[in-house]
Amino acid sequence: MIKNDAEITPDLIAEHGLKPDEYQRILDLIGREPTLTELGIFSAMWNEHCSYKSSKKWLRTLPTEGPRVIEGPGENAGVVDIDDGDVVVFKMESHNHPSFISPYEGAATGVGGILRDVFTMGARPVAAMNALRFGAPENERTRHIVSGVVEGIGGYGNCFGVPTIGGEVNFDARYNDNCLVNAFAAGLAKADGIFLSEAKGVGLPIVYLGSKTGRDGIHGATMASAEFDDDSEEKRPTVQIGDPFSEKLLLEATLELMKTGAVIAIQDMGAAGLTCSAVEMGAKGNLGVRLDLDKVPCREDGMTAYEMMLSESQERMLMVLDPNKEEEAAAVFKKWDLDFAIVGETTDDQRFKVYRHNDLMADLPIKELGDEAPEYDRPWVESPKLEPVAPKDVPAPEDLGKALIQLVGLPDMCSRRWVWEQYDNLIQGNTMAGPGGDAAVIRVGDNGKGLAFAVDVTPRYCEADPIEGGKQAVAECWRNITAVGAEPLAATDNLNFGNPEKPEIMGQLVGCIQGIGEACLALDMPIVSGNVSLYNETNGQAILPTPAIGGVGLLPDVTKRVGKSFTAEGEIILLIGAHEGHLGQSIYQRDMVGEAAGAPPRVDLAAEKKHGTFVRNAIREGRVTAVHDISDGGLLVAVAEMGMGSKIGASLTPNKDIPLHAWAFGEDQACYVVTVPATSAETFAKDALSAGIPTQAIGTTGGNELTVEGSHPISLGDLDAAYEGWLPNYMSAPDTH
């Protein structure tokens, strides 16, 4: 056991993730050498994961307000008005580093943490999604990590009882040693039933709720703020252990407690555990906090103040209690067989004081710990601008049909059925459209409205041009929500990047945030919550810049929606949007030609909004029978997915003005494929053109083949076999790790 008065050496400071200048700042703040516990507290609060010290400057530039935004960034989750006195509460967070070290527990506790963020606000979780990035399939660890992460997400979410209804999965060698696990959750509440984390009132009891504190997860947040190296597996003790059954009890107990009027402020114990939750509550309310650790329920003997303050044991909350309701509140938690312990009180001195065995273990200024952590304006360089690639300069395939079959069977393009069949997407009975579509849809209450959810980013675009890549991530999420007939309301972001101390990495972060901000403004989709995950690199190799965007949209009438699959034979297939066959940074170019080169497709935000609004109105008016946006793989892949989902083929006429492979596989933005009954196709096209929407008929549904004029027919059965086969075949192979 290291004593609280242990010598603070340069090595010990470095082990806590603090730079020499940051340690000097601590000395200047407190006027003395910190105790070991104090050093641990500073380490927890001033790491990148908790303080956003490298990103705060740029995050402030994002649009966070709008007519429907009730709570924006700064709380446990964002809150958005969805009419009738209802609100949706949602957020996305990362659990990348823990998931690489211990895939099952890392992913499971990531789900648990984001669910707590939602119900801490007073909302009952109703939907979960995830955005997953894994290493190259041939990497020896990839299969092991995929298996553990997917099992962990399903194991926690299914037991807790929340439907996992959407997400995305990608593979790339840049994630070989640093997978990404971004977890999204949404909940429903009444507008007048939202609870915040700001402590109010002096001398009020601070109550510990939930499960007991153990030694798991100590320094988890600090670990998540550092690069990996070859010894990272030794960090396994920093990974928390989750218990979804305890979390379910905590949910019910917390929501019941909130009805008593006892809760003045409440905060989830997530990253940095008891330290972060206590400091944030006090600092936000301009109050001090006094904690008596002897009263904290522990599941292990002999825990030190240092261990208790830095433990990230799961299924725990902290609240400021109305003292007149103490007995009533305690009875609720006793009923649910959970710990309820008064462990401290609010004070008027703006100090954070921690006692153990009546000894003062920490005495620190609370504002400097919470609201005034270091903020850096790190040097950055703009990513070099790449020249566009002309479609004619990208080699064409020998056989269009064989190329398409190969494309839909690629690791990044194939069906994710193997993943989402391990998740319960129907529990609670409100799922109207689950995984596999452009966006998932749930029913809200009994008045007929619904919510749509999507999560998107294209990392290769972000690396090639961070600004355009950031714009495209928002635009694609917005398109996917629009494609089911929903109005996009707001978004959450999860910004995953490498080491921000490298100017080129910092430049990627700055560029992506700029692009995200431009798109959110143009598309009226403010950022209301989110997370930044930096230092995602191992032995100097950074991940691709991956700013995942999770969006929520509103359907006033959940029955007025469409899916992406064809619904009938003999319908006309229309292409909405200007389609020029952009192949730069496309899946076709990267995987079929063997090199991702040139600039990514340009994002015209005005066109995105105009085209999407037209499509959404057409859906709500019942004028279209299926909608699918064009994204990875291009137009022909989109049509193939529409056909595979329905077992209905199509006959297509390509645009002769551009090379055939560019027409087929170009990833132009602001484009949709829609189907309409033959009897109304001409009128629909005229209406679109008169509204200034580029529109052209490209074919007809029918048969069991996909036929492109001038090319050999492509069997839907062959397409489906390639599409559905890769992932289960890959995962059934022997694990080499």
Side-chain angles (χ1 to χ4, degrees), residues 148 155-156 212 235 403 555 585 670 677 691:
Y156 204 103
K212 289 179 169 58
K235 297 180 178 179
L555 288 143
Q585 300 296 330

Side-chain angles (χ1 to χ4, degrees), residues 254-495:
T254 302
L255 294 183
E256 185 174 332
L257 177 70
M258 288 169 168
K259 292 177 181 175
T260 66
V263 179
I264 292 173
I266 190 163
Q267 178 76 22
D268 160 47
M269 285 195 221
L274 183 57
T275 291
C276 194
S277 55
V279 170
E280 285 187 358
M281 288 173 72
K284 283 182 181 177
N286 293 313
L287 297 170
V289 167
R290 184 187 188 281
L291 293 180
D292 182 355
L293 298 186
D294 296 350
K295 297 177 180 177
V296 171
C298 294
R299 65 168 183 259
E300 299 181 51
D301 294 332
M303 289 189 70
T304 64
Y306 178 94
E307 291 170 326
M308 294 168 73
M309 293 307 297
L310 298 186
S311 166
E312 293 184 9
S313 295
Q314 298 292 283
E315 295 82 42
R316 303 181 301 158
M317 318 259 278
L318 204 66
M319 90 163 170
V320 177
L321 173 74
D322 179 345
N324 299 316
K325 304 269 187 172
E326 180 184 334
E327 209 170 292
E328 189 177 356
V332 170
F333 270 72
K334 185 178 179 181
K335 183 182 86 173
W336 290 100
D337 198 26
L338 292 168
D339 279 300
F340 179 100
I342 294 176
V343 297
E345 65 177 1
T346 58
T347 62
D348 63 358
D349 57 3
Q350 293 195 6
R351 303 292 296 180
F352 185 50
K353 295 180 180 180
V354 178
Y355 291 83
R356 180 68 163 150
H357 304 317
N358 294 318
D359 292 328
L360 183 63
M361 310 302 285
D363 183 0
L364 298 169
I366 202 165
K367 294 290 285 185
E368 284 78 0
L369 274 172
D371 299 347
E372 298 178 29
E375 180 176 332
Y376 296 130
D377 184 4
R378 296 204 184 275
W380 60 279
V381 294
E382 190 174 350
S383 299
K385 292 291 182 186
L386 302 176
E387 292 297 318
V389 174
K392 64 181 176 56
D393 294 335
V394 179
E398 291 183 9
D399 185 291
L400 190 75
K402 288 180 180 177
L404 178 62
I405 291 169
Q406 194 175 337
L407 265 174
V408 299
L410 290 170
D412 268 1
M413 297 298 295
C414 69
S415 168
R416 279 33 182 157
R417 187 182 305 275
W418 181 90
V419 173
W420 50 257
E421 282 189 342
Q422 298 184 55
Y423 307 150
D424 190 334
N425 55 76
L426 297 174
I427 196 166
Q428 298 187 12
N430 292 315
T431 304
M432 308 299 288
D438 285 326
V441 179
I442 65 165
R443 176 176 53 217
V444 177
D446 300 322
N447 60 2
K449 68 186 175 190
L451 289 172
F453 303 94
V455 56
D456 293 285
V457 64
T458 309
R460 63 185 186 278
Y461 291 177
C462 294
E463 181 160 70
D465 187 329
I467 296 174
E468 288 299 312
K471 286 163 58 175
Q472 195 273 342
V474 175
E476 186 173 350
C477 183
W478 190 91
R479 273 201 311 273
N480 281 328
I481 291 168
T482 293
V484 298
E487 176 194 358
L489 300 182
T492 181
D493 59 9
N494 204 149
L495 309 178

Side-chain angles (χ1 to χ4, degrees), residues 684-700:
F684 183 92
K686 282 182 180 175
D687 290 347
L689 290 167
S690 64
I693 311 291
T695 304
Q696 53 182 305
I698 60 170
T700 308

Side-chain angles (χ1 to χ4, degrees), residues 24 27 50 105 167 179 208-209 211 227 307 394 430 445 485:
Q24 184 59 51
L27 296 178
C50 293
E105 294 296 351
C179 62
Y208 175 112
L209 307 168
S211 297
E227 293 182 36
E307 291 170 326
V394 179
N430 292 315

Side-chain angles (χ1 to χ4, degrees), residues 400 404 407 579 581 583 630 633-638 654 658-667 708:
L400 190 75
L404 178 62
L407 265 174
H579 186 264
L583 289 172
I630 294 179
L635 169 61
L636 198 55
V637 167
I658 57 177
L660 179 61
H661 67 300
W663 172 86
F665 306 126
E667 296 177 3
V708 178

Side-chain angles (χ1 to χ4, degrees), residues 630-703:
I630 294 179
S631 55
D632 281 349
L635 169 61
L636 198 55
V637 167
V639 174
E641 290 173 344
M642 297 172 86
M644 287 187 287
S646 60
K647 311 300 183 195
I648 298 172
S651 299
L652 303 175
T653 302
N655 182 353
K656 303 292 196 302
D657 294 333
I658 57 177
L660 179 61
H661 67 300
W663 172 86
F665 306 126
E667 296 177 3
D668 300 82
Q669 302 295 295
C671 291
Y672 301 80
V673 180
V674 307
T675 55
V676 297
T679 53
S680 57
E682 189 175 344
T683 303
F684 183 92
K686 282 182 180 175
D687 290 347
L689 290 167
S690 64
I693 311 291
T695 304
Q696 53 182 305
I698 60 170
T700 308
T701 62

Side-chain angles (χ1 to χ4, degrees), residues 19-29:
K19 301 284 173 63
D21 62 319
E22 291 175 332
Y23 183 67
Q24 184 59 51
R25 181 168 174 165
I26 291 170
L27 296 178
D28 294 341
L29 272 173

